[in-house]
Amino acid sequence: MDIQLKRGLLDVCVLAAIKNQDSYGYQIIKDIKPYVEISESTLYPILRRLEAAKCLVVRTAAYNGRLRKYYQITPLGQQRIETFKEEWQEILAIYRFVIREDEQNERHE
């Protein structure tokens, strides 16, 4: 998969993981893993990039005697998800166009 496309998709996956509830790195990975393979070394640069883009904010809280970073989506992050959902319809149309020949060939077999 094109690296830029995958990068954009992972950004939206991370935002979707925190859409309804603040979360922390390990939990975000657990939430996404059934759908997309993601590692800590991939996640944390995404979180920093989304924070820099003001799509999420970070707060630190104590948990079991340690500090843990919690990530919260912002209205800009919510908008990014909505924009993705709108754009996805165009991506699906392109996909249907690309596979149409395969489907036509299957019908004629």
Side-chain angles (χ1 to χ4, degrees):
M1 176 181 291
D2 177 72
I3 191 72
Q4 291 295 72
L5 176 59
K6 187 171 185 176
R7 182 177 176 183
L9 293 173
L10 287 175
D11 287 2
V12 174
C13 287
V14 170
L15 291 170
I18 63 172
K19 180 174 72 170
N20 297 320
Q21 180 176 329
D22 297 1
S23 193
Y24 54 95
Y26 179 71
Q27 186 63 50
I28 293 169
I29 290 171
K30 280 179 47 179
D31 291 342
I32 293 174
K33 218 164 205 155
Y35 305 97
V36 179
E37 188 65 33
I38 188 168
S39 66
E40 287 182 32
S41 63
T42 301
L43 175 65
Y44 289 103
I46 291 170
L47 290 168
R48 285 190 295 275
R49 185 169 59 247
L50 290 170
E51 181 182 14
K54 300 191 181 346
C55 290
L56 59 82
V57 292
V58 183
R59 68 178 168 81
T60 304
Y63 178 81
N64 286 342
R66 297 182 13 200
L67 291 179
R68 178 185 277 175
K69 286 185 177 183
Y70 287 88
Y71 300 90
Q72 178 182 32
I73 196 166
T74 64
L76 196 56
Q78 293 279 6
Q79 182 56 48
R80 183 125 175 227
I81 291 173
E82 292 308 312
T83 300
F84 168 78
K85 292 190 304 193
E86 292 166 8
E87 291 171 347
W88 189 250
Q89 294 308 310
E90 184 177 353
I91 293 168
L92 286 175
I94 292 167
Y95 174 76
R96 285 190 292 274
F97 174 75
V98 168
I99 67 164
R100 80 188 187 298
E101 189 174 293
D102 295 338
E103 291 173 340
Q104 289 170 354
N105 289 339
E106 288 174 6
R107 283 188 227 130
H108 295 301
E109 289 179 2

